Amino acid sequence: MKQGTQGSAGTTTGEAAAAAEAAAGTARSRYRVPSQPAAGEADRRRDAGGATEGSARGEHTHGEPVLPRPRPAVQRSSVRGQVLAALRTALVTGDLRPGEVYSGPVLAERFGVSATPVREAMQQLAQEGAVEVVPNRGFRVVERGPRELAELAEVRALIEVPVMLRLARTVPAERWAGLRPLAEATVRAASSGCRATYAEADRAFHSAVLALAGNQQLVGVAEELHRRAQWPLAGGGAPGGGTRAELIADAHEHTALLDALIAGDLDVVRTLVGEHFNGAE
């Protein structure tokens, strides 16, 4: 079985799988959104001789929900990217709760960085539709319902299913076999029970499949839709389920699909692809 197929970015799928799994596996431990100080703590700092950054910028921090403190602290290199990864992980796990408002300065203080990279990361999430700007307060996590999730699943199916079926007829078996490490990585990620870890591995597999079409615009659009489909629902519900057993079942659909693609069984491929997208994962 050939597991070193060259990808479009110049790396092998085996290397991509290892990199994706390593990054995803440390997501929760490295990128935890920190707890935010209560109003009393902010007042004590203000009384001690200095206004908080939030008050200087007009962002109110009273009554914000308490979130876990990051450990270890964010490194100074690639600060914006690390903060963005931390916030995305928090969205998937539900640490950033739908409907809640979070201020940039307070998050920045707990990360040990300036407010600028935090605001930049939040602005990126606003462009992606994950949060919305609340003037003079910060950013509110967008509340999503089952209907939006169903619409996202429908759009993803309209884009990805025809491409996968076309690739099933044209891509040779050895290239499908080269994606085996990525499919197996999703099973290991699912076994961990961590939604953030599984989300990274899941996107890596789907992106690698679509990359075989040679259309980077397609891959980018599909990745954005996929990421949105992984955000939590209002009320804390996880899209597509979220229990360890449900994640494992979804991951095994990847390996079953890959087996059918390698075998060239188009009927099975068509059935499995339809079932996978009906699961909205």
Side-chain angles (χ1 to χ4, degrees), residues 60 63 94 102 120-121 129 133 144 154 156 185 225-226 243 254 260:
H60 304 298
Y102 299 87
E120 290 175 347
V133 177
R144 304 166 54 247
E154 181 180 5
R156 285 189 63 206
L225 290 169
H226 198 167
T243 68
H254 295 150

Side-chain angles (χ1 to χ4, degrees), residues 34-47 50 52-55 59-67 69 101-103 105-107 109-110:
S35 58
Q36 303 187 29
E41 182 178 343
D43 291 340
R44 286 194 295 274
R45 289 201 304 271
R46 189 177 298 108
D47 293 341
T52 64
E53 188 175 4
S55 62
E59 295 185 7
H60 304 298
T61 62
H62 300 296
E64 293 185 11
V66 176
L67 296 174
R69 183 183 294 271
V101 177
Y102 299 87
S103 61
V106 175
L107 287 173
E109 181 180 347
R110 291 300 182 174

Side-chain angles (χ1 to χ4, degrees), residues 110-157:
R110 291 300 182 174
F111 273 117
V113 299
S114 70
T116 298
V118 175
R119 288 196 180 95
E120 290 175 347
M122 282 294 203
Q123 290 291 347
Q124 176 62 39
L125 292 176
Q127 292 177 16
E128 296 174 3
V131 301
E132 57 188 8
V133 177
V134 181
N136 298 322
R137 293 187 62 195
F139 302 85
R140 177 184 291 112
V141 179
V142 173
E143 297 187 77
R144 304 166 54 247
R147 178 171 180 173
E148 182 179 350
L149 184 62
E151 292 174 348
L152 285 168
E154 181 180 5
V155 175
R156 285 189 63 206

Side-chain angles (χ1 to χ4, degrees), residues 143-270:
E143 297 187 77
R144 304 166 54 247
R147 178 171 180 173
E148 182 179 350
L149 184 62
E151 292 174 348
L152 285 168
E154 181 180 5
V155 175
R156 285 189 63 206
L158 289 172
I159 293 175
E160 295 192 42
V161 171
V163 174
M164 287 188 181
L165 293 178
R166 174 167 59 84
L167 293 173
R169 293 189 293 269
T170 58
V171 173
E174 58 267 23
R175 295 197 69 186
W176 290 121
L179 300 184
R180 179 73 66 182
L182 291 171
E184 293 174 346
T186 67
V187 176
R188 290 191 294 273
S191 298
S192 74
C194 173
R195 282 200 59 83
T197 301
Y198 182 69
E200 292 291 337
D202 188 34
R203 284 198 308 275
F205 175 77
H206 281 264
S207 296
V209 171
L210 295 177
L212 294 176
N215 187 330
Q216 290 304 308
Q217 298 301 316
L218 167 69
V219 174
V221 170
E223 282 186 347
E224 181 178 351
L225 290 169
H226 198 167
R227 193 182 299 279
R228 292 188 180 208
Q230 293 171 327
W231 298 335
L233 301 174
T243 68
R244 182 174 176 272
E246 289 167 329
L247 295 181
I248 291 174
D250 188 81
H252 279 299
E253 291 180 2
H254 295 150
T255 57
L257 174 61
L258 200 56
D259 289 341
L261 289 166
I262 293 171
D265 193 333
L266 295 181
D267 289 336
V268 173
V269 169
R270 188 175 294 104

